[in-house]
Amino acid sequence: MKSLDIHKSEYLKQFETQTYGRNLFRTQEEERLDAPNEECGIFGMYSDNDLDTFSLSQFGLFALQHRGQEACGISVLKDGKITNMKDEGLVLDVYKEIQNPETFMGNSAIGHTRYTTAGDKKKYNFQPFFAKNEYDQIILSIAHNGNLTNAKELKHELEAEGVVFRATSDSEVILRLIQKNLDLGLRGAIKATMEKIEGAYSVVGMTRNKFFAFRDLNGIRPLVLGAINENSYVVASESVALDAVGAQYVRDILPGEIIYTNENEPGKLHSIMVNEAKAKQRICSFEYIYFARPDSTLENINVYEIREKSGEKIWEQAPVDADIVIGVPDSGVPAAIGFSKASGIPFRPVLIKNRYIGRSFIVPTQEMRERIVNLKLNPIISEIKDKRVVIIDDSIVRGTTSKRLVKILKEAGVKEIHFRSVSPPIIAPCYLGIDTPSKDDLISANMTTEELRDYLGVDSLEFLSTDNLKEILGSSNHCFGCFTEEYPVAKGEEIELFN
């Protein structure tokens, strides 16, 4: 048997060259319906010298591909001119469409990879968003991760002042507010914007001579700062994007902080806090459980270590006699390794991935869509037949994927199935930048654990408790809204931003 350290090393190394996939048992449709989905990943870089921003932005966004697979875009600053490119598709596919890479080589770049909610897959909603002057020149471009809770109100205010909106996204509200206040200077415009908007937001952006980034007062969505050298900086949703471009992690952007450059001091990064008295740390706890890549570090906490500890903790919380432990690739594997380490029950990577499968299968029937799962993941029957198996998954949302997994294991001849979720029961939707099903569709909001155990057809079922999650994270300074219905920001109107 391989040591658990070898399993960990092999598990993490694969994501240097392959896209991280959270739960590979989900079909593409279920990724929308049976999983919480991150709205996007953002990336930005600045130097006082020209860089190969075309290649570096591509590397950084590829490292963030797991945060959104529907669309990708970049804006590049070169010789005082901003050029924008965005399209539907994966990062590498969109970059292949760029005919002249030298056009996208400059001294600053921002990029965005997007998860698009149903009915919203329109190119005018792809990011980065940009504003033009009367000469049809781009003067401002931003990329945003999160969700504003007062966007509808602000949109109506701006429209009353004559502002014309071109997209159906709250991100454009941020863009237009900054644009409207540029006569205050860039720092003043961002500060005025942050004093108006509410909700969750991490933003990177540029003007024709400046680079900036800022984060909401609760720090709900992640944003990290790195440095390639003393005059070149990188900002991204996760530290893995820093690694991808050869930047060293410096720190996380603070809640309520603006960082920015000044054309009079090229290469120097400045910082200012907005309403520091109200700033507090409430980063989304689900980043550690599910969204972030396992080799990322957020708020000085390593994601892999949290996931491994979650497996150890759920063994302490709900021990069981079994023969092997398996984790649902990719996101359930670290917790399965932790469960094995704590329990002594052997970990077996018996769900084998097809590393060459893409997302482009188009099939007309549900029966054939079911078969796609077996193309992505296939169990080694000899390893699990007649065995008592503990299956570790990151979460249970609607329950349809978990039920299919149980069916596959039973068909492989498993003797007993003990299901462990290393997130607490998800009982409430998120409105702070995560696309989750409505409460009516969240199975833990509508069934007891015993009812869900019977629905799945497993011998036992346990969820990590919220108290144990807080213990693993080391504090209660996180957003636990999807587990508790208690949010750090007032909810706002439950209606579409644009009717």
Side-chain angles (χ1 to χ4, degrees), residues 279-295:
K280 55 187 177 182
Q281 182 52 265
R282 293 294 184 269
I283 188 171
C284 171
S285 60
F286 224 75
E287 289 284 351
Y288 296 96
I289 296 168
Y290 182 73
F291 292 122
R293 230 173 76 168
D295 43 347

Side-chain angles (χ1 to χ4, degrees), residues 221-258:
R221 303 264 66 84
L223 197 62
V224 298
L225 171 66
I228 297 176
N229 55 49
E230 61 182 12
N231 296 315
S232 302
Y233 307 98
V234 181
V235 176
S237 293
E238 295 181 33
S239 64
V240 287
L242 310 184
D243 301 334
V245 301
Q248 295 295 312
Y249 170 81
V250 175
R251 62 176 177 85
D252 291 70
I253 306 297
L254 300 174
E257 182 180 20
I258 307 169

Side-chain angles (χ1 to χ4, degrees), residues 198-210:
E198 299 171 2
Y201 53 89
S202 289
V203 177
V204 293
M206 62 170 67
T207 66
R208 291 189 290 181
N209 56 9
K210 299 183 184 74

Side-chain angles (χ1 to χ4, degrees), residues 113-134:
T113 183
R114 174 179 172 82
Y115 168 80
T116 309
T117 54
D120 200 26
K121 297 181 181 181
K122 296 181 175 67
K123 190 169 183 177
Y124 53 66
N125 284 323
F126 299 165
Q127 297 191 45
F129 283 126
F130 55 84
K132 291 184 175 182
N133 62 14
E134 64 270 27

Side-chain angles (χ1 to χ4, degrees), residues 13 35 37 41 76 85 88 146 163-164 171 198 228 233 241 251-252 265 305 312 331 424 480 489 491:
K13 191 168 181 60
N37 283 285
V76 173
M85 163 69 177
E88 187 173 3
V163 175
V164 176
S171 303
E198 299 171 2
I228 297 176
Y233 307 98
R251 62 176 177 85
D252 291 70
E265 299 175 276
E305 290 178 4
E312 295 174 3
S331 53
F480 299 100
V489 180
K491 188 170 184 179

